[in-house]
Amino acid sequence: MGTYTCCLCFTRRFRSAEVQPPADVRAAFETHTEGATHMNADQLRRFLTEAQGEATPDDADRIIEQTIQLRPRQPFLAILSKPALTVEDFYNYLFSEDLNPPVRSQVHQDMTAPLSHYYIYTGHNSYLTGNQLSSDCSDVPIIKALQDGVRVIELDMWPNSTKDDIDILHGRTLTSPVELIKCLRSIKEYAFTASPYPVIITLEDHLTPDLQAKVAQMVVETFGDMLYYPESESSNEFPSPEALKERIIISTKPPKEYLEAKNDKENNCDTQDVNESDDEAWGKEVPDVQTELESADKSSPPEYKSLITIRAGKPKGDLSDALKVDPDKVRRLSLSEKELAKAAASHGLDLVRFTQRNLLRIYPKGTRVNSSNYNPFVGWIHGAQMVAFNMQGYGRSLWLMHGFYKVNGGCGYVKKPEFLLKNGPNDGDFDPTAKFPVKKTLKVKVYMGDGWRVDFNQTHFDSYSPPDFYTRLGIAGVPSDTTMKKTKAIEDNWIPVWDEEFIFPLTVPELALLRIEVHEHDKSGKDDFAGQTCLPVSELRQGFRSVPLFDRKGMKFKSVRLLMRFEFE
């Protein structure tokens, strides 16, 4: 019984409904036990094979043992008897996130292809703790990103105030610096806590040659044998994630190319929006660009240049020229989200062809000073491997990013679909703007939710009554697949039972994400947020599944989860 105070003097009492297994769960239990009161290991194996699509259901005995341990009290006779599940046990197993998660948790994709064949979990300005203008710079967000599986860390290197050391900060802003060496040491310590696959450090280099030499020394001394050295200055193919396991890779512009790009930018500054680029001007400490060009050419540290595995650049001149594929060498190209949108409209097929062998990095436009993010699918459907996000932010775009990289065991590398890797004539390349037939249909049933009564106080959603929860769910992906739907709101109930089914036809299921949000309906104002998750359709495990929900910043709630069922046609 829940009690709420109304108007300071009236008390409202709400009876808590007894939690019952959904009718479909009872039906599945009765079908596979043939009407018996308990489900044994053989019957559970048959259920796992027929209803859940498990190819090798060898875990039946372990599932039964662990599910029985979830009972609040276990009768003495049950301990002595052969383990078996009651219908309540069966329901508890299906609703257990640990025993019955919605996606696979193991690396299962081929990891021996070149890096250009993978989407790579990429951060932007990884050192910032908050906004892009005045927040502190720290190694803390770098550590968190690595613990979350991010594989690309971006560091902006600037001379410190005395010009004898290197700071990491967002240049020409009020952000407070952090020392480069501190960031490097933290990367070394946490690089492979979440994934054994390579960590790429992208360096935005605003340094003079003597400080570049100091960077090289720091990098070599910090990482030692973890550091990967390229075999030559240029290569016609990137190494594979498997070949680079537990290695650190450096990506930046070679010293001379950086100064040339900076010179070009200054010469054309009247036609460019400086806020649209994260490759900012050096500042007054570099008075003569031509002198520095000559210095870089003659005396830039060979060691610094030799550390660069992935050579970076920005488009010069016509975009068609920037996207030309050189058969003798591979490289990384960076575009802002705004530049990508323009390129996608006019050079979509060129982008796809370029990313079949080369790396394309997309970064947020400079006006996102609050560290917000953009729609990652524009980059993904054109084959862009490094769609860089502000990981310290939050919002629906970042939820998509979190969901996308649950693929492949959350290792931070996701194999691109084969249709983005084919290198054929014009009519053989994937055209992101084309209309495609339905390839697969996803049926999703939302049964119920639970856990809010544990994770939230009684008046968190409504001061006068239990919450009125509803679920929004839909698809994020190519434009023709994108949609959102919602259930009815269940009034005054901490354990809502919706029992509603939705059908989603998918033309490109390989890139689709299932979006799930729960809100609490507020008749007098804005609806309250009650949890979210995004799940990669390609990784969904069919059948009944327990789906944990996360808060706005992507942190998993301790108890909040939904019971759902997924079917493919």
Side-chain angles (χ1 to χ4, degrees):
M1 186 75 74
T3 303
Y4 292 78
T5 302
C6 182
C7 300
L8 301 179
C9 55
F10 296 103
T11 299
R12 304 180 71 192
R13 299 171 68 109
F14 295 85
R15 184 175 299 278
S16 300
E18 186 177 347
V19 181
Q20 296 286 340
D24 286 355
V25 171
R26 288 185 174 275
F29 182 85
E30 292 172 2
T31 297
H32 290 87
T33 60
E34 298 178 346
T37 59
H38 288 74
M39 178 180 283
N40 61 35
D42 288 338
Q43 292 166 336
L44 179 57
R45 286 189 191 94
R46 188 161 64 89
F47 166 76
L48 293 173
T49 302
E50 296 175 0
Q52 303 289 88
E54 304 289 349
T56 55
D58 300 326
D59 296 337
D61 293 305
R62 177 186 61 82
I63 290 171
I64 290 176
E65 180 181 343
Q66 294 184 0
T67 301
I68 288 176
Q69 292 175 1
L70 298 175
R71 293 173 179 170
R73 290 183 303 276
Q74 192 171 165
F76 180 71
L77 290 177
I79 298 175
L80 296 179
S81 61
K82 189 173 182 179
L85 302 180
T86 65
V87 67
E88 288 77 16
D89 292 331
F90 182 65
Y91 161 70
N92 288 335
Y93 152 62
L94 294 178
F95 215 172
S96 168
E97 172 207 342
D98 294 330
L99 296 176
N100 191 35
V103 296
R104 292 181 282 182
S105 59
Q106 296 83 27
V107 175
H108 58 87
Q109 295 179 343
D110 173 23
M111 303 300 287
T112 62
L115 289 176
S116 57
H117 288 208
Y118 300 85
Y119 297 113
I120 309 173
Y121 205 176
T122 302
H124 172 255
N125 289 353
S126 305
Y127 49 86
L128 287 179
T129 58
N131 69 62
Q132 303 286 310
L133 295 181
S134 61
S135 66
D136 292 334
C137 301
S138 169
D139 64 332
V140 172
I142 295 173
I143 293 170
K144 184 181 184 302
L146 292 169
Q147 290 174 329
D148 291 341
V150 173
R151 298 291 84 192
V152 182
I153 299 296
E154 182 185 28
L155 303 177
D156 285 278
M157 304 188 301
W158 292 82
N160 68 354
S161 58
T162 55
K163 308 294 188 292
D164 62 353
D165 208 344
I166 301 97
D167 280 342
I168 301 299
L169 73 155
H170 197 197
R172 304 175 70 87
T173 68
L174 299 177
T175 56
S176 60
V178 60
E179 292 181 339
L180 169 64
I181 189 63
K182 186 174 184 180
C183 296
L184 296 180
R185 288 169 178 166
S186 293
I187 291 172
K188 178 183 179 181
E189 183 175 355
Y190 293 93
F192 305 110
T193 55
S195 168
Y197 292 101
V199 167
I200 302 170
I201 304 176
T202 61
L203 300 175
E204 285 293 334
D205 180 351
H206 303 269
L207 304 175
T208 52
D210 59 321
L211 289 180
Q212 289 172 349
K214 193 164 187 175
V215 171
Q217 182 181 357
M218 284 185 189
V219 168
V220 171
E221 291 179 356
T222 301
F223 296 118
D225 292 340
M226 295 169 65
L227 187 64
Y228 176 80
Y229 290 85
E231 296 179 0
S232 62
E233 285 194 7
S234 61
S235 172
N236 61 3
E237 187 176 79
F238 289 113
S240 72
E242 186 66 30
L244 297 170
K245 260 187 172 179
E246 299 188 345
R247 304 297 291 272
I248 303 292
I249 301 171
I250 303 299
S251 176
T252 187
K253 293 174 183 173
K256 184 178 179 181
E257 283 87 334
Y258 178 82
L259 286 162
E260 288 173 340
K262 187 261 180 184
N263 193 21
D264 288 343
K265 180 177 177 180
E266 288 189 343
N267 290 338
N268 294 284
C269 63
D270 57 326
T271 60
Q272 293 185 9
D273 179 359
V274 70
N275 287 327
E276 292 300 324
S277 172
D278 63 358
D279 194 13
E280 297 160 346
W282 281 35
K284 293 182 180 179
E285 74 274 7
V286 185
D288 187 337
V289 172
Q290 185 58 41
T291 299
E292 290 299 329
L293 270 171
E294 294 171 358
S295 172
D297 192 31
K298 295 176 182 177
S299 61
S300 62
E303 192 169 26
Y304 180 81
K305 193 171 183 178
S306 71
L307 299 180
I308 303 172
T309 297
I310 302 174
R311 292 171 173 265
K314 301 196 67 151
K316 299 178 183 178
D318 188 80
L319 190 58
S320 297
D321 294 331
L323 293 173
K324 282 183 179 177
V325 176
D326 187 334
D328 297 322
K329 64 179 181 180
V330 290
R331 58 196 170 95
R332 190 199 91 197
L333 180 68
S334 290
L335 297 175
S336 72
E337 60 171 292
K338 188 174 181 180
E339 291 170 327
L340 172 67
K342 292 180 179 177
S346 59
H347 295 79
L349 286 174
D350 291 333
L351 287 169
V352 172
R353 294 189 199 105
F354 179 83
T355 57
Q356 289 168 354
R357 295 185 63 246
N358 300 280
L359 296 178
L360 178 60
R361 173 179 170 269
I362 311 302
Y363 57 90
K365 60 186 179 182
T367 52
R368 294 189 180 277
V369 295
N370 62 348
S371 294
S372 63
N373 288 296
Y374 51 99
N375 182 357
F377 277 97
V378 180
W380 288 336
I381 65 177
H382 288 88
Q385 297 88 350
M386 297 180 175
V387 177
F389 261 37
N390 295 306
M391 297 298 172
Q392 77 276 23
Y394 60 91
R396 288 191 170 100
S397 294
L398 191 56
W399 301 347
L400 296 179
M401 182 67 71
H402 292 161
F404 189 82
Y405 283 100
K406 289 174 182 171
V407 175
N408 204 23
C411 74
Y413 285 83
V414 174
K415 192 76 156 50
K416 295 200 293 184
E418 284 301 315
F419 57 74
L420 284 172
L421 300 175
K422 293 176 181 176
N423 190 8
N426 290 351
D427 58 358
D429 292 310
F430 175 73
D431 183 358
T433 64
K435 300 290 185 181
F436 301 98
V438 173
K439 185 182 293 186
K440 185 180 290 188
T441 298
L442 171 65
K443 293 172 65 176
V444 179
K445 192 161 188 177
V446 188
Y447 289 105
M448 59 185 297
D450 198 0
W452 292 280
R453 54 183 175 158
V454 178
D455 292 352
F456 296 87
N457 65 54
Q458 181 173 285
T459 57
H460 177 87
F461 296 103
D462 195 321
S463 300
Y464 308 114
S465 65
D468 308 330
F469 290 126
Y470 66 91
T471 297
R472 296 181 72 237
L473 72 164
I475 298 295
V478 298
S480 58
D481 291 347
T482 301
T483 185
M484 285 299 288
K485 304 177 182 182
K486 71 176 184 177
T487 68
K488 59 184 177 293
I490 304 299
E491 295 187 353
D492 301 333
N493 203 319
W494 282 97
I495 311 174
V497 177
W498 296 286
D499 202 29
E500 293 188 45
E501 186 173 75
F502 301 88
I503 297 176
F504 301 104
L506 303 173
T507 62
V508 187
E510 297 89 343
L511 295 178
L513 293 174
L514 177 64
R515 291 179 52 195
I516 302 168
E517 299 176 14
V518 177
H519 298 266
E520 197 273 334
H521 179 60
D522 191 334
K523 297 182 179 67
S524 59
K526 186 178 179 181
D527 291 353
D528 296 314
F529 173 83
Q532 60 81 24
T533 192
C534 287
L535 301 173
V537 169
S538 64
E539 297 275 307
L540 285 177
R541 303 169 71 206
Q542 79 171 54
F544 300 93
R545 300 295 171 185
S546 177
V547 178
L549 297 187
F550 298 75
D551 67 14
R552 291 181 184 274
K553 294 189 176 182
M555 301 296 291
K556 187 167 68 173
F557 289 123
K558 184 178 179 180
S559 310
V560 178
R561 63 205 187 280
L562 304 180
L563 182 61
M564 307 180 73
R565 188 176 70 192
F566 308 116
E567 294 181 283
F568 290 100
E569 293 180 356

